Amino acid sequence: MDTKSIRNFSIIAHIDHGKSTLADRILLQTGLVTEREFRAQFLDDMDLERERGITIKAHPVTADFKSADGKTYQINFIDTPGHVDFSYEVSRSLAACEGVLLVVDAAQGIEAQTVANTYLAINNDLTIIPVVNKIDLPAAIPDAVCEELVAFLGCAPDEVHYASAKTGEGIQGILEEIVKTIPPPTGDPEKPFRALIFDSVYDDYRGVITYLRVIDGSVKKGDKVEMLSNGKVYEVTDLGIFAPNMKQAKGLSAGQVGYVVGNLKDIRAVKVGGTLAQPGGGVEPLPGYVEPKSMVYCGLYPSSTENFENLRKALDRLALNDASFNYIPESSTALGHGFRCGFLGLLHMEIVQERLERESDLDLVKTAPNVTYEVLRTDGTISEVHSPADVPDPSFIEEIREPIVKLEVMVPKEFIGAVMTLAEERRGMHKGLEYIGGRRALLHYEIPFAEIVFDFYDKLKSSTRGYGTMDYEFIGYRAADLVKVDILIHGQPVDALSIICLREKADIRGRKILARLRKEIPKHMFQVALQAAVGARIVARENISPYRKNVLAKCYGGDVTRKRKLLEKQKEGKKRMRAIGNVTVPQKAFLAVLETREDE
């Protein structure tokens, strides 16, 4: 197909601003889906996406659009997620496009993720078409939102499009603007085949299915292709486009977006962001994009040790579908064998756990999440610590460095004071304040990631009556006075309950964790001591009193020595049980660490 007739673009926006609804409307407008086949959130094929009303995976679609000038164009568009945890999906989608639709809610205005996504598009040198969506809402203020976009983007007011994805108003004009404004792909169909891999999935029957954007050349069924990341060569057994489901095609040429299936069963062979090329063509790998860096870690363990291999296979499949997720095996004295998993944020962690439990029918135990730290040892070496259990002995530590993020908070200007107070309580360093339009303010902070990862977003929503939004970006590590707090149950440290926190808050955090554990751990036949320790120093202690049998009930009289003998015998029995007894810790006790953070 002639590249001049192809247009590739993504739909980006803050969460819940109408991206998926706009994508649905484009499907209807181009005739790709009939009214009879249509359903809301058509491209969100995961039950989890439909239940939560959010997009988790980016979805490519190819459609034909007949313009007012009589020409027919092939438009390839990708509906992307809007939550900050899935910004990696957005960055992958932008690498396969020449332009974007920047969608803004007519009632909400510009939000934090709107700003972040716009900068991503600018950094990729993409054409931006601003769209004010949901103009049919009673609370809509499209003209005020248009002014915000003009001030933010520096565009002319007549370049901003008004639309209602729900009613279909303005959609035709947006499609005309896409084919008019967004440039066609620049690839050369005559050059050797080369394509960017922007996603992949695993099918039990077909093997690995690779989603790609063809940059140069063409590919057809029966061709040999090479994965430049590992030199693996395989034959193309099937290929096609998304219309919106997979549809077979004779071939894919420069500028097109589609999928390729080959005799490839190794799910670790495909590297998202890598280059697929003609074998021996001497082509250079494409630059791809920056690898995601996991910011939150937690342990995932099967509730039954028999399911360990099933969990490993499920993680392998999920890692292929989600390139931002990573894991390594680990062993815990409390929970047995499991995996230490890395995520982009708390929502990402929650979604991964739900997908594992639903798609692979697993029952999982999750440890309290923690962020990544850097430890400078006394010998000068630096190591990353993903779990408090990995922190070395204090005598070998020169300093501990915590991750710092650049935080951007978008709020109506009347809530600036509340946000500043919240950020300062969390050790935030104010870096700037700017006004967008006449109604909103964008605050810039540098703040420890551990201070915002758990409940900062909830507190932000509470203090701004739901209007505040945030986005963050990792910028580096900074030294702080941090210590590891060990939790000891019956004298034994439980690695799954250890935490890293500020030295000045160690005793407070320790006491709160022990108070929660005391409620969650049932009584035993002997006294159970709960302790919080920093190194060799105990900073907090709680006792769980034992069950007590009244051994004097049968003594209805007689000498006091008889009673004393029974009490001494009971005392010896308790002492022996305390020496050899094991403490049973229920699974819900491991969440106590997270819950105590929310109470602060």
Side-chain angles (χ1 to χ4, degrees), residues 220-410:
K220 62 183 184 300
K221 191 174 178 179
D223 286 354
K224 297 281 188 182
V225 292
E226 179 184 359
M227 204 82 62
L228 295 188
S229 60
N230 54 23
K232 198 171 186 66
V233 177
Y234 64 94
E235 182 183 335
V236 176
T237 57
D238 190 17
L239 53 74
I241 60 174
F242 300 93
N245 299 317
M246 292 183 186
K247 179 182 177 183
Q248 287 185 331
K250 292 181 179 179
L252 296 172
S253 60
Q256 289 188 290
V257 174
Y259 68 91
V260 166
V261 182
N263 52 351
L264 188 64
K265 297 295 182 181
D266 183 4
I267 60 180
R268 297 184 184 89
V270 177
K271 181 177 174 62
V272 174
T275 304
L276 201 62
Q278 178 181 322
V283 297
E284 289 292 320
L286 294 163
Y289 32 80
V290 178
E291 287 288 329
K293 186 173 179 65
S294 297
M295 299 300 294
V296 176
Y297 284 82
C298 86
L300 290 179
Y301 296 83
S303 57
S304 171
T305 54
E306 300 170 357
N307 290 326
F308 177 75
E309 279 303 318
N310 293 336
L311 176 57
R312 184 193 293 277
K313 292 175 183 176
L315 290 171
D316 282 343
R317 285 196 298 270
L318 187 63
L320 177 73
N321 297 345
D322 185 352
S324 58
F325 167 71
N326 61 78
Y327 64 95
I328 56 171
E330 73 168 2
S331 179
S332 165
T333 54
L335 300 173
H337 294 290
F339 295 89
R340 167 69 39 178
C341 304
F343 310 91
L344 298 180
L346 282 187
L347 178 63
H348 186 208
M349 180 182 74
E350 189 180 334
I351 293 297
V352 165
Q353 184 188 2
E354 282 201 43
R355 287 186 65 185
L356 287 170
E357 291 179 338
R358 289 185 183 206
E359 297 170 11
S360 302
D361 194 24
L362 293 169
D363 186 17
L364 300 176
V365 178
K366 180 181 70 176
T367 64
N370 57 273
V371 301
T372 305
Y373 294 89
E374 273 189 355
V375 174
L376 174 63
R377 296 172 181 260
T378 50
D379 61 2
T381 59
I382 297 175
S383 59
E384 280 194 351
V385 170
H386 304 310
S387 166
D390 300 332
V391 177
D393 186 272
S395 60
F396 297 108
I397 297 176
E398 185 69 32
E399 66 181 19
I400 301 179
R401 299 166 182 169
E402 60 184 345
I404 305 296
V405 296
K406 181 173 69 176
L407 175 71
E408 293 180 343
V409 181
M410 180 77 74

Side-chain angles (χ1 to χ4, degrees), residues 145-163:
V145 174
C146 177
E147 288 179 16
E148 289 181 4
L149 279 168
V150 169
F152 176 57
L153 296 175
C155 61
D158 57 358
E159 293 178 24
V160 179
H161 291 261
Y162 295 91

Side-chain angles (χ1 to χ4, degrees), residues 500-560:
I500 298 173
C501 68
L502 281 176
R503 187 183 301 274
E504 63 188 40
K505 291 187 176 181
D507 55 341
I508 299 173
R509 291 289 303 277
R511 277 197 295 271
K512 289 192 174 184
I513 292 170
L514 297 186
R516 289 289 305 177
L517 288 175
R518 185 181 176 188
K519 295 177 183 178
E520 302 294 349
I521 297 176
K523 286 186 176 184
H524 289 64
M525 294 303 294
F526 51 90
Q527 179 177 287
V528 178
L530 307 176
Q531 296 168 305
V534 176
R537 184 171 65 92
I538 303 297
V539 296
R541 173 169 175 145
E542 291 277 352
N543 291 324
I544 300 176
S545 57
Y547 286 118
R548 184 176 181 276
K549 181 181 178 182
N550 186 5
V551 294
L552 302 181
K554 59 185 177 182
C555 292
Y556 48 86
D559 189 70
V560 69

Side-chain angles (χ1 to χ4, degrees), residues 557-596:
D559 189 70
V560 69
T561 55
R562 177 170 166 77
K563 294 182 180 179
R564 189 175 296 122
K565 180 181 176 183
L566 289 171
L567 289 172
E568 287 296 328
K569 187 177 179 181
Q570 183 186 44
K571 184 178 178 182
E572 286 297 319
K574 294 280 186 185
K575 185 178 179 181
R576 189 165 59 252
M577 277 194 292
R578 186 163 59 248
I580 64 172
N582 291 319
V583 180
T584 302
V585 183
Q587 294 177 5
K588 59 183 178 179
F590 293 100
L591 298 178
V593 180
L594 178 59
E595 293 175 4
T596 52

